[in-house]
Amino acid sequence: MTSRNLALFAAVAVLFLITGFFQSWNLALSILNMAIVSAIMAMGVNIQWGYAGLFNVGIMGFAALGGLAVVLTSSQPVEGAWRAGGPGIVLGLLLGVATIGLAVALYRRMQQGLPRTATIIAVLLGGFFLYRWVFDPAAVAVEANNPEAFGNIGGFGLPALVAWPMGGLLAAAAAWAIGKTALGLRSDYLAIATLGIAEIVIAVMKNEDWLARGVKNITQLPRPWPVPLEVDLQQSQPFLDWAGRWGFDPVLTSSIIVKLAYAGLFLTVLLIVVWLSERALRSPWGRTMRAIRDNEVSAEAMGKYVTGRHLQVFILGSAVVGIAGAMMTTLDGQLTPGSYSPLRYTFLIWMMVIVGGSGNNWGAVLGGFLIWWLWIMVEPMGLWLMGTITAGMADGSWLKTHLQDGAAHMRPVTKGVILLLVLRFSPRGLIPEK
Amino acid sequence: MDLLNALVTFANFVFIPAVAYGAQLAIGALGVTLIYGILRFSNFAHGDTMAFGTMITILFTWWFQSMGISFGPLPTALLALPIGIVLTALFVLGTDRVVYRFYRKQRVATSILVIVSLGVTFIMNGITRFIIGTEEQNFADGERFVISAADFKATTGLAEGLAIKSTQAITLATAVIVVAALFWFLNRTRTGKSMRAFSDNEDLALLSGINPERVVAVTWIITAALATIAGVLYGLDKSFKPFTYFQLLLPIFAAAVVGGLGSPVGAIAGGFVIAFSEVMVTYAWKKVLGYLLPDSLAPEALVQLLTTDYKFAVSFTILIAVLLFKPTGLFRGKSV
């Protein structure tokens, strides 16, 4: 790291310190925690786009899958749910997978022509109805099981830390399936395809109530291992004594300690991901990736297996996004499918990579911290700006109310302007690739 | 077995809505395909251009309504539409001047242009939300129906009604006029021919003295007009909500790709393919089948392949299938 890069990181650190001193440390720490999560997601995008030039705008979907894995892994098992329809659901899903597998096998084995098309369509249609016939009653039965409180299949009750790698695995599995079908496509087709996948993932999570209660949300997901509950801290005598000795407010201090614990945990994950990514980038594998990115044809001519490498890097990047998505859901303590939007979960992460410097891991991390801080701070800034502009206007005037309501929409405009300015005047980002 | 009632039900719930929706998608996809043909990138800002143009049209519609101007039985929005087109065209030309032209001169990679168009998307999205908010707006006025279900039942004596909303009729009429005008322009005028030449072979077109900046400017103007028309028709038929318009990107892109990117005929065909698949897959066939099948076989379930929440999955599946098996689309667009 050069001194210039260190100065950039220091400058971003100062932003967080300013927030801490002038607003509150609670706020500064909660921005920091999400900034770390965002930085990890940005690393995932950087692995795909910066290393290999893969244009994936389905980040939201992979982050949401990570969140789903948290629910399925670490939430408590639901009484009676498995008995109500668990086997039926699993069998139905297996039938669905088998149908697709059979169709693919037929496509590969049979001669091209009308018989093949007809057989495949028949297999797909038959498989679809069979799947619905097995799956639907099971899903309905699970949803009917104590619908007020649960109605979902429940989780395994495993520790939250186990759920994070599971989030990575689930995202990786999805990435494998998507990569197998869509990776051969040219860049903007891949973009459209991944954009669609992400919408479908969210639609599934919103509507399949048996999976994670859909828009009824799952709350009270467990904390990861060293992070205590605020309530427990506030009731523990040693903590109260300690806080009293220093003259701290116990309620505020407990919430700060919880956030610090999260920050420590998240930073560990971030550093591990950065270390692994740096190792990978400097290895022969990383050089191959960059060679493919810069000139696919010549890399192929040199005997590099372009499609295979692309699939690898697509899976790896998506897994990193999935882990970050799982961490975020654990941090929130709840899974709310309705809150996923592409502007926030896909394009914001992309901005972090582009502003930070695509192809450079430290750039992605810096971009993650900086852009997340800005994203949170632009709204109060917009409110302040609108307040100043409208200060001279009569209270209750139509324009004044409208302008003040509109301050919330400063975010997309600012985002667009920053993106365009960076692309125009500093296309390699704050910390360019070496 | 009651064929007539089955047909009427089918027409009422599947055919007519799908035709209207297909026409809206087709006009949207024409814009995407033109940009792709001339500027050679997938314009992610198209959905928000539609939203922007519709928003301006809505604002002028409200203004006209407040002045008591109406268009008789037709929606006032049609009067405001030309103003919407002009202002959107000016805005889009502005973005070309300030944003895209720089990258065009540099001949950057396609994916960079797509990211740049994302930046434009955010700005347009923010402006739209800032001016009109994120809520749903209904701005259709005038006659609601060309044929109402009750009238149809009374006239024909059938058990099922057939309703044609005036917005559906307007959509179809406008689509026919727009498509005819566009094809006349592309095939008969000098500028249109130079656009096609530019799309087919840029270098050759430049050598024969075609002014690229002019071609690009005309393309943007036409695209802005198409986007505004598509957006207003969709908004009249359903309702206007900025985020829905962003999400329309997927079916519109799917339509353009199915038809073959860069091919105007393909975009129209693609629009109808997507619309019909979407409506037919998400429609509950119980009623139609109930009329067609003998009572003993009549289905008890809804016979709905997918719920409407999964309509994205339909456009997506078609998109992927076409890209995998026929990457140039039905009408031989630009190859992958």
Side-chain angles (χ1 to χ4, degrees):
Chain A
M1 273 236 252
T2 63
S3 52
R4 180 176 171 275
N5 296 352
L6 281 177
L8 282 170
F9 270 101
V12 173
V14 168
L15 291 179
F16 282 86
L17 289 177
I18 288 176
T19 314
F21 277 115
F22 289 96
Q23 289 181 283
S24 79
W25 288 104
N26 222 339
L27 177 68
L29 280 173
S30 55
I31 302 178
L32 178 70
N33 281 335
M34 271 311 291
I36 301 173
V37 171
S38 306
I40 299 177
M41 281 190 200
M43 297 278 305
V45 174
N46 187 40
I47 290 172
Q48 293 176 344
W49 168 250
Y51 293 14
L54 290 182
F55 197 11
N56 173 6
V57 282
I59 306 304
M60 168 177 78
F62 295 107
L65 281 175
L68 179 64
V70 172
V71 171
L72 294 180
T73 317
S74 75
S75 71
Q76 291 305 312
V78 172
E79 182 118 3
W82 181 258
R83 240 175 308 122
I89 285 179
V90 171
L91 181 67
L93 292 177
L94 285 179
L95 277 173
V97 174
T99 307
I100 295 173
L102 183 62
V104 172
L106 284 174
Y107 179 76
R108 293 214 175 119
R109 294 282 163 78
M110 287 174 73
Q111 290 283 319
Q112 192 179 0
L114 194 61
R116 182 175 78 170
T117 317
T119 326
I120 289 180
I121 289 177
V123 163
L124 285 176
L125 273 181
F128 180 75
F129 283 109
L130 190 64
Y131 152 80
R132 290 283 300 260
W133 183 68
V134 175
F135 178 87
D136 282 8
V140 169
V142 170
E143 282 167 20
N145 171 49
N146 195 359
E148 297 298 317
F150 300 108
N152 63 324
I153 190 80
F156 287 101
L158 294 170
L161 285 182
V162 181
W164 297 356
M166 287 309 289
L169 278 181
L170 187 60
W176 176 82
I178 299 163
K180 269 290 187 192
T181 42
L183 267 187
L185 308 174
R186 207 198 38 201
S187 62
D188 40 351
Y189 284 170
L190 181 65
I192 301 166
T194 45
L195 191 72
I197 284 279
E199 292 291 347
I200 293 171
V201 167
I202 299 300
V204 168
M205 282 174 55
K206 273 187 190 164
N207 295 299
E208 299 299 318
D209 285 7
W210 60 270
L211 192 58
R213 302 196 72 214
V215 284
K216 286 176 280 181
N217 302 340
I218 294 252
T219 51
Q220 297 194 322
L221 291 167
R223 292 259 162 103
W225 155 66
V227 183
L229 280 171
E230 284 90 344
V231 192
D232 292 346
L233 270 185
Q234 286 158 23
Q235 282 165 356
S236 96
Q237 201 51 48
F239 170 77
L240 289 176
D241 290 345
W242 175 82
R245 212 171 322 127
W246 289 88
F248 292 148
D249 170 37
V251 177
L252 185 67
T253 315
S254 67
S255 112
I256 285 185
I257 285 184
V258 166
K259 292 199 170 82
L260 277 175
Y262 267 124
L265 209 54
F266 286 0
L267 266 180
T268 318
V269 178
L270 176 69
L271 289 176
I272 294 173
V273 174
V274 171
W275 183 72
L276 289 174
S277 307
E278 281 286 290
R279 292 288 304 244
L281 193 60
R282 281 160 215 278
S283 68
W285 182 84
R287 283 195 293 276
T288 313
M289 291 318 307
R290 273 170 290 162
I292 292 175
R293 177 195 67 190
D294 292 337
N295 194 333
E296 221 166 275
V297 179
S298 66
E300 201 149 25
M302 299 297 288
K304 303 299 175 200
Y305 181 32
V306 174
T307 319
R309 289 290 93 78
H310 272 171
L311 186 63
Q312 240 175 12
V313 87
F314 189 69
I315 292 175
L316 280 176
S318 303
V320 171
V321 175
I323 292 173
M327 289 162 61
M328 189 190 74
T329 303
T330 307
L331 174 68
D332 291 343
Q334 55 179 354
L335 181 69
T336 50
S339 67
Y340 286 87
S341 87
L343 286 180
R344 152 76 181 85
Y345 285 93
T346 297
F347 299 125
L348 191 68
I349 308 295
W350 263 88
M351 286 213 38
M352 293 168 179
V353 176
I354 289 168
V355 172
S358 42
N360 189 315
N361 293 317
W362 293 107
V365 174
L366 179 78
F369 282 91
L370 175 65
I371 296 293
W372 182 254
W373 186 86
L374 278 175
W375 175 252
I376 296 296
M377 285 303 168
V378 157
E379 201 161 317
M381 285 180 198
L383 278 174
W384 173 82
L385 184 71
M386 286 304 166
T388 323
I389 292 176
T390 55
M393 296 183 192
D395 271 331
S397 86
W398 168 81
L399 190 62
K400 182 165 186 169
T401 357
H402 185 83
L403 282 177
Q404 283 177 344
D405 290 347
H409 309 309
M410 290 285 283
R411 273 176 169 177
V413 177
T414 323
K415 203 159 94 174
V417 170
I418 293 180
L419 181 64
L420 290 180
L421 286 178
V422 168
L423 279 173
R424 176 81 172 250
F425 298 107
S426 170
R428 283 154 58 80
L430 289 171
I431 307 185
E433 188 185 358
K434 279 185 232 58
Chain B
M1 177 99 176
D2 189 348
L3 197 61
L4 220 48
N5 271 322
L7 262 180
V8 170
T9 317
F10 175 78
N12 192 28
F13 291 105
V14 178
F15 188 77
I16 295 174
V19 166
Y21 181 45
Q24 290 148 11
L25 285 185
I27 304 177
L30 274 174
V32 166
T33 228
L34 276 182
I35 292 287
Y36 189 85
I38 308 283
L39 289 123
R40 294 169 217 286
F41 73 97
S42 307
N43 183 14
F44 271 62
H46 199 75
D48 280 288
T49 312
M50 282 167 62
F52 184 86
T54 314
M55 171 197 74
I56 293 180
T57 311
I58 293 178
L59 293 180
F60 277 94
T61 308
W62 286 343
W63 189 51
F64 286 162
Q65 284 170 344
S66 72
M67 292 197 308
I69 301 175
S70 80
F71 202 5
L74 296 174
T76 321
L78 290 185
L79 281 180
L81 183 61
I83 308 173
I85 291 176
V86 170
L87 290 180
T88 313
L90 285 177
F91 186 92
V92 167
L93 283 177
T95 58
D96 183 66
R97 186 71 219 278
V98 179
V99 182
Y100 293 112
R101 199 166 73 157
F102 172 79
Y103 299 98
R104 199 159 55 239
K105 291 260 152 32
Q106 291 203 328
R107 295 191 167 236
V108 295
T110 320
S111 38
I112 300 293
L113 275 173
V114 175
I115 298 178
V116 169
S117 82
L118 277 174
V120 176
T121 308
F122 300 151
I123 294 180
M124 294 189 95
N125 181 289
I127 293 175
T128 310
R129 289 180 5 181
F130 180 74
I131 295 180
I132 206 164
T134 49
E135 268 84 66
E136 203 167 281
Q137 311 281 355
N138 282 304
F139 58 103
D141 54 4
E143 287 293 325
R144 264 184 67 67
F145 290 103
V146 178
I147 305 174
S148 81
D151 287 349
F152 182 84
K153 279 191 214 170
T155 327
T156 57
L158 287 173
E160 289 297 328
L162 176 75
I164 300 181
K165 286 198 286 179
S166 44
T167 50
Q168 291 166 333
I170 291 168
T171 296
L172 208 59
T174 318
V176 170
I177 297 170
V178 165
V179 169
L182 181 69
F183 277 78
W184 173 81
F185 176 80
L186 286 178
N187 292 322
R188 291 275 181 273
T189 63
R190 215 179 146 72
T191 317
K193 283 179 190 166
S194 62
M195 276 173 66
R196 286 193 298 138
F198 192 86
S199 162
D200 285 345
N201 189 330
E202 190 177 338
D203 295 329
L204 214 56
L206 291 178
L207 275 178
S208 41
I210 288 172
N211 177 2
E213 287 305 310
R214 193 178 126 83
V215 167
V216 167
V218 172
T219 310
W220 278 118
I221 293 170
I222 296 176
T223 308
L226 290 170
T228 310
I229 293 171
V232 169
L233 291 177
Y234 186 86
L236 280 174
D237 196 20
K238 289 164 178 126
S239 70
F240 173 77
K241 195 178 178 197
F243 188 63
T244 320
Y245 278 58
F246 176 76
Q247 288 185 318
L248 273 181
L249 263 187
L250 187 63
I252 285 179
F253 269 129
V257 172
V258 167
L261 268 176
S263 151
V265 186
I268 297 166
F272 286 103
V273 169
I274 297 290
F276 269 89
S277 328
E278 203 171 277
V279 175
M280 287 171 74
V281 169
T282 56
Y283 176 66
W285 290 92
K286 180 179 174 169
K287 218 170 177 183
V288 175
L289 289 178
Y291 281 120
L292 281 181
L293 300 170
D295 284 344
S296 55
L297 281 177
E300 282 185 24
L302 287 172
V303 204
Q304 187 181 21
L305 291 180
L306 286 176
T307 58
T308 42
D309 305 303
Y310 292 130
K311 57 178 191 218
F312 292 120
V314 179
S315 358
F316 176 79
T317 315
I318 298 175
L319 177 73
I320 290 289
V322 167
L323 288 179
L324 288 180
F325 300 113
K326 207 163 175 10
T328 49
L330 299 175
F331 285 83
R332 300 230 151 213
K334 297 244 180 315
S335 65
V336 175

